Amino acid sequence: MDVIHSAIWVSDVEATLEFYLGALGLEKTNEFVGGDGATNVYVRGESETEIQFKYKEDHDLGEPQTARFDHLAIEVEDTDAEVERLHEETDTELVRGPLDSTGASARVAFITDPDGHVIELVEPRDDL
């Protein structure tokens, strides 16, 4: 068994792609309109695991995104540099950090995407 993707509903697919492809540097791997009429766009980093973004104009996103979905983790080379760059280049909000997480052996920070989904930037560190 292996995890292949997670699907996340978004309110603006273009803003979402601008953030994940442009600002975070992920790659678009597929796009199609499903039988439910929703646009489905897949992105990934260096691994094969993908994020599927779903968009449909009349889809109700409902409760705040943090009610059931906590965060998505993305590995970065330098958490502090990424936070600074994303703050300058996008409308991302810094939720927490950067900070050292000894339990995760990583330097981490939590930011938001255009829909307010929380993204954890993770810099693995052997010295923690």
Side-chain angles (χ1 to χ4, degrees), residues 20 24-29 43-51 73-77:
Y20 284 87
L24 292 179
L26 300 181
E27 161 193 19
K28 182 166 91 171
T29 58
V43 303
R44 72 173 183 214
E46 295 176 13
S47 75
E48 295 296 315
T49 305
E50 297 173 303
I51 307 166
I74 296 179
E75 185 175 319
V76 298
E77 288 186 29

mmCIF file of all heavy atoms in Angstrom, residues 20 24-29 43-51 73-77:
data_model
loop_
_atom_site.group_PDB
_atom_site.id
_atom_site.type_symbol
_atom_site.label_atom_id
_atom_site.label_comp_id
_atom_site.label_asym_id
_atom_site.label_seq_id
_atom_site.Cartn_x
_atom_site.Cartn_y
_atom_site.Cartn_z
ATOM 1 N N TYR A 20 0.817 27.328 -5.504
ATOM 2 C CA TYR A 20 1.517 26.046 -5.405
ATOM 3 C C TYR A 20 2.544 25.838 -6.521
ATOM 4 O O TYR A 20 3.608 25.268 -6.280
ATOM 5 C CB TYR A 20 0.517 24.886 -5.367
ATOM 6 C CG TYR A 20 -0.152 24.751 -4.029
ATOM 7 C CD1 TYR A 20 -1.310 25.462 -3.729
ATOM 8 C CD2 TYR A 20 0.379 23.934 -3.044
ATOM 9 C CE1 TYR A 20 -1.924 25.345 -2.489
ATOM 10 C CE2 TYR A 20 -0.226 23.807 -1.806
ATOM 11 C CZ TYR A 20 -1.374 24.526 -1.534
ATOM 12 O OH TYR A 20 -1.970 24.416 -0.309
ATOM 13 N N LEU A 24 5.529 28.020 -4.591
ATOM 14 C CA LEU A 24 6.158 26.862 -3.956
ATOM 15 C C LEU A 24 6.986 26.024 -4.927
ATOM 16 O O LEU A 24 7.780 25.192 -4.497
ATOM 17 C CB LEU A 24 5.108 25.972 -3.278
ATOM 18 C CG LEU A 24 4.425 26.583 -2.056
ATOM 19 C CD1 LEU A 24 3.394 25.611 -1.492
ATOM 20 C CD2 LEU A 24 5.433 26.954 -0.981
ATOM 21 N N GLY A 25 6.786 26.222 -6.221
ATOM 22 C CA GLY A 25 7.604 25.521 -7.204
ATOM 23 C C GLY A 25 7.216 24.079 -7.466
ATOM 24 O O GLY A 25 8.011 23.305 -7.988
ATOM 25 N N LEU A 26 5.984 23.690 -7.113
ATOM 26 C CA LEU A 26 5.535 22.341 -7.427
ATOM 27 C C LEU A 26 5.203 22.253 -8.919
ATOM 28 O O LEU A 26 5.138 23.261 -9.613
ATOM 29 C CB LEU A 26 4.322 21.964 -6.575
ATOM 30 C CG LEU A 26 4.548 21.973 -5.058
ATOM 31 C CD1 LEU A 26 3.274 21.561 -4.332
ATOM 32 C CD2 LEU A 26 5.705 21.071 -4.662
ATOM 33 N N GLU A 27 4.978 21.042 -9.402
ATOM 34 C CA GLU A 27 4.753 20.790 -10.823
ATOM 35 C C GLU A 27 3.337 20.269 -11.042
ATOM 36 O O GLU A 27 2.873 19.391 -10.304
ATOM 37 C CB GLU A 27 5.792 19.758 -11.282
ATOM 38 C CG GLU A 27 5.470 19.044 -12.542
ATOM 39 C CD GLU A 27 6.366 17.829 -12.784
ATOM 40 O OE1 GLU A 27 7.006 17.314 -11.839
ATOM 41 O OE2 GLU A 27 6.402 17.390 -13.932
ATOM 42 N N LYS A 28 2.634 20.796 -12.067
ATOM 43 C CA LYS A 28 1.308 20.277 -12.419
ATOM 44 C C LYS A 28 1.490 18.988 -13.207
ATOM 45 O O LYS A 28 2.264 18.940 -14.164
ATOM 46 C CB LYS A 28 0.525 21.302 -13.237
ATOM 47 C CG LYS A 28 -0.882 20.833 -13.586
ATOM 48 C CD LYS A 28 -1.761 21.957 -14.093
ATOM 49 C CE LYS A 28 -1.667 22.052 -15.572
ATOM 50 N NZ LYS A 28 -2.659 22.999 -16.126
ATOM 51 N N THR A 29 0.772 17.928 -12.792
ATOM 52 C CA THR A 29 0.926 16.632 -13.439
ATOM 53 C C THR A 29 -0.306 16.198 -14.227
ATOM 54 O O THR A 29 -0.199 15.373 -15.112
ATOM 55 C CB THR A 29 1.257 15.540 -12.401
ATOM 56 O OG1 THR A 29 0.214 15.503 -11.416
ATOM 57 C CG2 THR A 29 2.595 15.821 -11.732
ATOM 58 N N VAL A 43 -0.879 18.225 -8.538
ATOM 59 C CA VAL A 43 0.474 18.783 -8.462
ATOM 60 C C VAL A 43 1.321 17.872 -7.580
ATOM 61 O O VAL A 43 0.799 17.109 -6.772
ATOM 62 C CB VAL A 43 0.490 20.228 -7.911
ATOM 63 C CG1 VAL A 43 -0.389 21.158 -8.745
ATOM 64 C CG2 VAL A 43 0.072 20.276 -6.453
ATOM 65 N N ARG A 44 2.642 17.962 -7.765
ATOM 66 C CA ARG A 44 3.553 17.203 -6.911
ATOM 67 C C ARG A 44 4.903 17.894 -6.879
ATOM 68 O O ARG A 44 5.214 18.744 -7.709
ATOM 69 C CB ARG A 44 3.702 15.761 -7.371
ATOM 70 C CG ARG A 44 4.508 15.614 -8.637
ATOM 71 C CD ARG A 44 4.753 14.161 -8.943
ATOM 72 N NE ARG A 44 5.589 14.064 -10.123
ATOM 73 C CZ ARG A 44 5.500 13.125 -11.015
ATOM 74 N NH1 ARG A 44 4.589 12.188 -10.891
ATOM 75 N NH2 ARG A 44 6.310 13.107 -12.040
ATOM 76 N N GLY A 45 5.700 17.462 -5.912
ATOM 77 C CA GLY A 45 7.077 17.925 -5.810
ATOM 78 C C GLY A 45 7.986 16.877 -6.418
ATOM 79 O O GLY A 45 7.705 16.352 -7.491
ATOM 80 N N GLU A 46 9.038 16.529 -5.700
ATOM 81 C CA GLU A 46 10.009 15.565 -6.215
ATOM 82 C C GLU A 46 9.557 14.119 -6.069
ATOM 83 O O GLU A 46 10.029 13.247 -6.786
ATOM 84 C CB GLU A 46 11.354 15.776 -5.523
ATOM 85 C CG GLU A 46 11.963 17.128 -5.854
ATOM 86 C CD GLU A 46 13.243 17.398 -5.095
ATOM 87 O OE1 GLU A 46 13.811 16.462 -4.496
ATOM 88 O OE2 GLU A 46 13.680 18.552 -5.104
ATOM 89 N N SER A 47 8.626 13.832 -5.152
ATOM 90 C CA SER A 47 8.142 12.459 -4.978
ATOM 91 C C SER A 47 6.955 12.220 -5.908
ATOM 92 O O SER A 47 6.494 13.114 -6.605
ATOM 93 C CB SER A 47 7.731 12.216 -3.526
ATOM 94 O OG SER A 47 6.503 12.853 -3.254
ATOM 95 N N GLU A 48 6.454 11.009 -5.885
ATOM 96 C CA GLU A 48 5.302 10.647 -6.718
ATOM 97 C C GLU A 48 3.967 11.009 -6.059
ATOM 98 O O GLU A 48 2.933 10.996 -6.718
ATOM 99 C CB GLU A 48 5.335 9.149 -7.035
ATOM 100 C CG GLU A 48 6.529 8.732 -7.882
ATOM 101 C CD GLU A 48 6.517 9.352 -9.270
ATOM 102 O OE1 GLU A 48 5.460 9.360 -9.927
ATOM 103 O OE2 GLU A 48 7.573 9.853 -9.692
ATOM 104 N N THR A 49 3.969 11.316 -4.756
ATOM 105 C CA THR A 49 2.737 11.650 -4.052
ATOM 106 C C THR A 49 2.223 12.995 -4.534
ATOM 107 O O THR A 49 2.973 13.959 -4.632
ATOM 108 C CB THR A 49 2.969 11.680 -2.530
ATOM 109 O OG1 THR A 49 3.526 10.430 -2.128
ATOM 110 C CG2 THR A 49 1.675 11.923 -1.784
ATOM 111 N N GLU A 50 0.926 13.060 -4.823
ATOM 112 C CA GLU A 50 0.344 14.267 -5.398
ATOM 113 C C GLU A 50 -0.688 14.904 -4.470
ATOM 114 O O GLU A 50 -1.221 14.246 -3.580
ATOM 115 C CB GLU A 50 -0.335 13.944 -6.731
ATOM 116 C CG GLU A 50 0.620 13.435 -7.788
ATOM 117 C CD GLU A 50 -0.103 12.975 -9.032
ATOM 118 O OE1 GLU A 50 -0.975 12.092 -8.930
ATOM 119 O OE2 GLU A 50 0.206 13.503 -10.107
ATOM 120 N N ILE A 51 -0.970 16.171 -4.741
ATOM 121 C CA ILE A 51 -2.098 16.881 -4.136
ATOM 122 C C ILE A 51 -3.093 17.106 -5.266
ATOM 123 O O ILE A 51 -2.723 17.582 -6.342
ATOM 124 C CB ILE A 51 -1.696 18.242 -3.553
ATOM 125 C CG1 ILE A 51 -0.524 18.115 -2.599
ATOM 126 C CG2 ILE A 51 -2.896 18.897 -2.869
ATOM 127 C CD1 ILE A 51 0.118 19.449 -2.252
ATOM 128 N N ALA A 73 2.077 19.125 4.747
ATOM 129 C CA ALA A 73 3.505 19.349 4.986
ATOM 130 C C ALA A 73 4.283 19.270 3.678
ATOM 131 O O ALA A 73 4.080 18.350 2.885
ATOM 132 C CB ALA A 73 4.047 18.322 5.970
ATOM 133 N N ILE A 74 5.172 20.249 3.483
ATOM 134 C CA ILE A 74 6.033 20.302 2.308
ATOM 135 C C ILE A 74 7.466 20.474 2.781
ATOM 136 O O ILE A 74 7.769 21.375 3.566
ATOM 137 C CB ILE A 74 5.624 21.456 1.366
ATOM 138 C CG1 ILE A 74 4.217 21.198 0.823
ATOM 139 C CG2 ILE A 74 6.644 21.628 0.244
ATOM 140 C CD1 ILE A 74 3.685 22.262 -0.095
ATOM 141 N N GLU A 75 8.352 19.609 2.288
ATOM 142 C CA GLU A 75 9.763 19.694 2.666
ATOM 143 C C GLU A 75 10.444 20.827 1.905
ATOM 144 O O GLU A 75 10.235 20.988 0.704
ATOM 145 C CB GLU A 75 10.480 18.374 2.366
ATOM 146 C CG GLU A 75 11.919 18.364 2.844
ATOM 147 C CD GLU A 75 12.592 17.016 2.661
ATOM 148 O OE1 GLU A 75 11.948 15.981 2.908
ATOM 149 O OE2 GLU A 75 13.770 17.010 2.263
ATOM 150 N N VAL A 76 11.242 21.615 2.624
ATOM 151 C CA VAL A 76 12.011 22.717 2.041
ATOM 152 C C VAL A 76 13.464 22.613 2.496
ATOM 153 O O VAL A 76 13.767 21.922 3.466
ATOM 154 C CB VAL A 76 11.428 24.096 2.433
ATOM 155 C CG1 VAL A 76 10.002 24.252 1.914
ATOM 156 C CG2 VAL A 76 11.458 24.297 3.942
ATOM 157 N N GLU A 77 14.349 23.299 1.793
ATOM 158 C CA GLU A 77 15.765 23.282 2.173
ATOM 159 C C GLU A 77 16.063 24.224 3.328
ATOM 160 O O GLU A 77 16.938 23.949 4.145
ATOM 161 C CB GLU A 77 16.634 23.648 0.969
ATOM 162 C CG GLU A 77 16.694 22.548 -0.069
ATOM 163 C CD GLU A 77 17.659 22.867 -1.178
ATOM 164 O OE1 GLU A 77 18.649 23.602 -0.948
ATOM 165 O OE2 GLU A 77 17.426 22.367 -2.289
#
